Amino acid sequence: MSEAMPGEAAPGGSGWPIGIRAILGMAGFGPGPDAVRAAVQGRVVVVTGASRGVGERVAIRLGAVGAHVVLLARGDGVDAAAEQVRSSGGTASTYRIDLRDPAAARATAELMLAECGTPAVVISNAGHSIRRPLAQYLDRFHDVQRLMGVNALGPIALLLPLLREMTAARSGHLISVSSASVDVPSPGYSAYAASKAAFEAWLRALAPELSAEGVAATSIHLPLVHTAMSAPTTAYARAPGLTADGAAALVCRAIVEKPRLISPWWARAGGLIGAAAPAAADRLFGSAILRGRW
């Protein structure tokens, strides 16, 4: 079970009993600090979306065990997050990046390589979510473009130079922090799920190539995480889910164990059922929508 790092609460969920959260795959168990330290101490670890939420908590955890954390984010919060990393005893570099601009993302990657060197671990965590049923974005194609930019195109543009150097060094680990919505239907999140699934399809096809070049790949399909990004959907406020610390513990587990996939059991099962009986799944979710339960 994960131990709490300096300056954070113990990992957990939203206040539901730990047993229920464990059964639902939402307990946020991970390795202790010593195991994480052995994997990252003295090494460069890149964290995107590091100004708040899961990315911020991951950065602080890794700084506390001796990593040189490279924090990337769009807003001013990245500097405050870097100060927290330094106050925990770690070292940090920061880069402002807007993943909606792929050319700028690639340029940032090249600059980061020149200044910090080839990373040992890259945590592609940055993301943007919109809960918007189809009827609400029929005239808002720019919402789809923005989600694709932040969740797929921008991250790929950033990663290509980094992977060039990691494969040349025949070492490293790429971790994608994704969503269980890529496994199970998520009515209301069609644009978000599509953007996340696009990146996951890219990584799924790329992972064997990376493995042959000595680079590990891990996909983490997170369930609901109670952060500022999920807060606008008030219906989720009392639903079982991970805290940002709990999700960060899963990222640390990925760093230490290097599994190909971390995903709740119900997401994997739901994906299999949905693939085997897609029409039945559509009817089930459609019925829930008509009854106002989704």
Side-chain angles (χ1 to χ4, degrees), residues 64-158:
V65 293
H68 178 78
V69 187
V70 180
L71 298 89
L72 284 74
R74 185 178 63 178
D76 295 339
V78 68
D79 295 320
E83 284 305 310
Q84 292 190 68
V85 171
R86 296 182 185 109
S87 67
S88 73
T91 59
S93 300
T94 61
Y95 295 87
R96 302 288 182 86
I97 182 172
D98 187 340
L99 291 173
R100 293 174 296 182
D101 185 342
R106 185 176 183 89
T108 298
E110 297 287 6
L111 177 62
M112 184 172 56
L113 286 167
E115 295 181 343
C116 301
T118 303
V121 182
V122 179
I123 302 165
S124 184
N125 165 76
H128 182 62
S129 175
I130 297 177
R131 184 179 189 273
R132 189 160 286 154
L134 174 63
Q136 295 180 15
Y137 72 89
L138 288 171
D139 298 319
R140 296 176 59 90
F141 181 68
H142 60 275
D143 286 341
V144 180
Q145 290 178 304
R146 177 172 52 167
L147 287 166
M148 282 293 180
V150 175
N151 295 338
L153 299 178
I156 292 173
L158 176 77

Side-chain angles (χ1 to χ4, degrees), residues 3 11 21 25 29 35-36 57 80 103 105 149 153 157 188 190 195 197 214-216 222 229 231 237 240 242 245 266:
E3 299 175 33
R21 286 189 275 114
F29 295 141
V36 184
R57 299 314 309 174
L153 299 178
S190 52
S195 64
V215 177
L222 291 176
M229 190 166 74
L242 289 168
D245 286 330
W266 49 264

Side-chain angles (χ1 to χ4, degrees), residues 155-189:
I156 292 173
L158 176 77
L159 286 168
L160 290 177
L162 304 183
L163 291 174
R164 180 191 68 216
E165 301 304 317
M166 293 163 73
T167 54
R170 299 192 62 81
S171 68
H173 187 189
L174 170 59
I175 298 172
S176 167
V177 180
S178 189
S179 166
S181 65
V182 306
D183 299 309
V184 294
S186 302
Y189 287 94

